[in-house]
Amino acid sequence: MTERTNEEWLADLQSEGERQAEALQDLQTRLQRGIFYYLSRERSDLTGLSTHELTQMAQDMAQDATLRVMENLTSFRGDSLFTTWATRVAVRVAISDLRRARYKDFSLDHITAEGDVLPPASTLVGGSRPLNPERAAEQSEILGKVQATLDDVLTERQQQALIAVAVRGVPLEIVAEQMQTNRNALYKLIHDARRKLRTHLEAQGLSLDYVLNLFQE
């Protein structure tokens, strides 16, 4: 691979013909190395994969990352080495791709299709210590009120977004994509849902802090 300064990288990638093709190939090779390092050293959830599998993943992700770098060339300000900046972009692409793979079978429709959108109280309580009957009964009662509140004051779209992000931990970008919206609009949707939920619970004499503390170990 040809060693380049920041200026040479930008000039070669923005040129045409063989000069650009060579620079693109060098860039993709570097990004593949950076992604492979990230997958093999930083991702404990991928330790079961073989070197061949990780290499194939890095190759596929490096292609996407190269396109992403080219789309964002004008945002490079020269505060670091170009290759360092490009590798950061590539790792973000890898993280996004892995998230998408993790949630490939996730569907917002499943959240409200079966009625109750909240899981049973027992799955919301940390630890393995058994609850006394009074506390268990109180949790079930409060959870029922929260579920009723969700049904009464939130739209289906608000319920889906709030439960997906706040309860099930689905990344914002995954939910936004399924809802065919953007992160900012989704954030506002969730903010409005939280506000409505808080207001309705407080009207019943319940505070969110009380509800959350009730389900602490």
Side-chain angles (χ1 to χ4, degrees):
M1 289 185 293
T2 303
E3 294 296 328
R4 298 175 175 83
T5 64
N6 288 353
E7 293 74 16
E8 288 171 337
W9 272 113
L10 293 175
D12 290 351
L13 290 172
Q14 292 173 324
S15 63
E16 297 179 354
E18 184 176 343
R19 180 183 174 189
Q20 184 189 51
E22 181 181 348
L24 284 170
Q25 183 58 54
D26 286 350
L27 175 62
Q28 185 168 322
T29 299
R30 287 178 181 272
L31 297 185
Q32 182 179 327
R33 289 180 179 178
I35 293 173
F36 180 83
Y37 181 90
Y38 170 74
L39 298 177
S40 60
R41 301 293 183 87
E42 305 293 334
R43 297 291 302 218
S44 59
D45 55 323
L46 302 179
T47 53
L49 298 182
S50 66
T51 299
H52 174 75
E53 290 172 315
L54 291 174
T55 299
Q56 186 60 58
M57 289 177 64
Q59 288 176 346
D60 294 341
M61 291 175 178
Q63 294 179 11
D64 293 340
T66 301
L67 293 175
R68 187 71 57 83
V69 168
M70 292 298 293
E71 292 171 354
N72 291 276
L73 278 181
T74 56
S75 67
F76 176 64
R77 303 303 180 191
D79 297 330
S80 64
L81 290 176
F82 176 81
T83 50
T84 300
W85 171 80
T87 299
R88 286 199 296 265
V89 173
V91 169
R92 289 197 295 269
V93 169
I95 292 172
S96 178
D97 286 352
L98 289 171
R99 281 179 174 174
R100 291 179 187 279
R102 178 181 177 185
Y103 291 100
K104 65 179 180 179
D105 297 324
F106 171 77
S107 172
L108 287 171
D109 293 336
H110 294 163
I111 290 180
T112 51
E114 299 177 356
D116 292 348
V117 298
L118 292 176
S122 59
T123 67
L124 294 178
V125 184
S128 57
R129 186 174 58 189
L131 295 173
N132 62 60
E134 292 79 9
R135 186 174 176 83
E138 184 180 11
Q139 288 179 343
S140 294
E141 179 184 358
I142 296 302
L143 195 62
K145 290 183 178 180
V146 173
Q147 178 67 61
T149 298
L150 291 173
D151 294 336
D152 290 343
V153 304
L154 300 186
T155 66
E156 182 176 6
R157 190 174 176 84
Q158 287 175 325
Q159 287 190 43
Q160 288 177 333
L162 183 62
I163 299 303
V165 174
V167 176
R168 304 194 180 180
V170 182
L172 279 171
E173 61 266 26
I174 301 297
V175 179
E177 181 178 344
Q178 289 207 15
M179 286 191 159
Q180 298 182 339
T181 187
N182 57 58
R183 287 173 61 95
N184 289 338
L186 177 60
Y187 182 83
K188 185 179 185 306
L189 183 72
I190 294 173
H191 174 76
D192 290 344
R194 287 179 184 273
R195 178 175 50 78
K196 291 169 69 175
L197 180 62
R198 178 188 296 274
T199 300
H200 199 78
L201 286 175
E202 289 178 348
Q204 301 178 64
L206 298 174
S207 71
L208 278 181
D209 288 340
Y210 166 75
V211 172
L212 292 176
N213 289 335
L214 184 62
F215 291 92
Q216 298 298 313
E217 183 179 0

